[in-house]
Amino acid sequence: MTRVWEWNRPVTVREVLEDLQKERSIAYTTVMTVLDNLHQKGWVRREAEGRAYRYEAVSTRAAYSAALMNEAWSASDNPAAALVAFFGMMSSEQRQALRDAVRMVQVDDRPVAEEERATREHSGEPAREEEQRAADEAPAGEGVEPGAEPGSKER
């Protein structure tokens, strides 16, 4: 998969074989079997080209990595603790990449948490305890909906 992702284009068994043989000895049939297995698992699609196939990744490496992380996180009996442990393993460069990613997923210049709160409010779901506490402690006029009286905390 690494070669298919790196090239980001349809590849033949022969191309992958020749690239791998720069590093180690490997048989054509081994590469063909691996690509066929990847096709059967749905990781690559293939299109006939003469007597051979051209293989192309179904998703990006980033999407695959994200799905793996989501699967592992979802399987945890304590997702918050799993995230804390995961963040603790990160290098400073990885933590900066995480900060950048969080900024990228902001919607309408609002952080994701604010967007989630707005969605819950619209659906009638109650505010989370920490959100309600912050709203109760906000100075008069902050967090007030348009049309509400100053000093009120109506939402």
Side-chain angles (χ1 to χ4, degrees), residues 45-120:
R45 62 180 147 258
R46 68 183 180 195
E47 190 172 313
E49 184 176 279
R51 293 177 32 207
Y53 287 107
R54 282 208 172 266
Y55 295 86
E56 183 176 19
V58 169
S59 69
T60 65
R61 181 178 221 149
Y64 171 72
S65 296
L68 280 179
M69 289 187 287
N70 186 54
E71 184 179 325
W73 185 51
S74 298
S76 174
D77 60 347
N78 187 341
L83 282 176
V84 169
F86 178 65
F87 296 155
M89 295 177 193
M90 293 177 141
S91 67
S92 60
E93 292 84 16
Q94 290 170 320
R95 283 191 298 276
Q96 185 58 51
L98 176 63
R99 285 185 204 98
D100 294 343
V102 168
R103 278 192 290 275
M104 290 171 58
V105 297
Q106 291 177 338
V107 179
D108 297 330
D109 295 330
R110 295 189 301 178
V112 173
E114 289 179 22
E115 183 69 18
E116 289 173 354
R117 185 178 66 241
T119 301
R120 280 197 311 280

Side-chain angles (χ1 to χ4, degrees), residues 13 27-37 55:
V13 172
Y28 181 93
T29 54
T30 301
V31 176
M32 183 176 62
T33 300
V34 169
L35 285 169
D36 185 59
N37 288 342
Y55 295 86

